[in-house]
Amino acid sequence: MNKHSSVPYVLLIDIEDKLAEIIYEYDAIELTQALAKSVNKEADAKDPFISSTRDVLRENIDCLSDDEKFEFIAQVQKLSYVKHNSELMDAINKLAK
């Protein structure tokens, strides 16, 4: 994690942890790879059999700039299974503030 990041690390970790509880490794890879690709970056974690969901999220989100991290969270917030998870939505809303 970038030490000079404007993204509150504790809130980002909380979101990653909560998201990891409701999605599989493959889904985490798909989500993070898609965003990284859209901003011409390469997300490192690609093998769902090597990493846990939490590790995939941390490693792949870490390659993003602060603005891209906020964009990732904004995109995740739109997913139906995220919208129905009140704890995750609360964490996302805290980060958005």
Side-chain angles (χ1 to χ4, degrees), residues 7-22:
V7 180
Y9 183 68
V10 173
L11 293 177
L12 185 59
I13 292 294
D14 190 37
I15 291 168
E16 291 168 350
D17 288 347
K18 286 177 178 21
L19 186 57
E21 292 172 3
I22 63 171

Side-chain angles (χ1 to χ4, degrees), residues 54-96:
R54 196 171 274 107
D55 291 342
V56 167
L57 290 168
R58 287 203 180 118
E59 187 171 341
N60 286 355
I61 291 171
D62 195 41
C63 80
L64 304 173
S65 71
D66 287 353
D67 288 342
E68 293 161 351
K69 287 174 186 170
F70 283 115
E71 177 61 26
F72 174 76
I73 298 302
Q75 293 300 318
V76 165
Q77 189 175 18
K78 296 175 184 177
L79 300 171
S80 62
Y81 56 85
V82 172
K83 287 180 183 180
H84 293 96
N85 186 301
S86 60
E87 286 184 33
L88 181 52
M89 288 300 294
D90 288 345
I92 290 171
N93 290 331
K94 284 180 189 175
L95 181 65

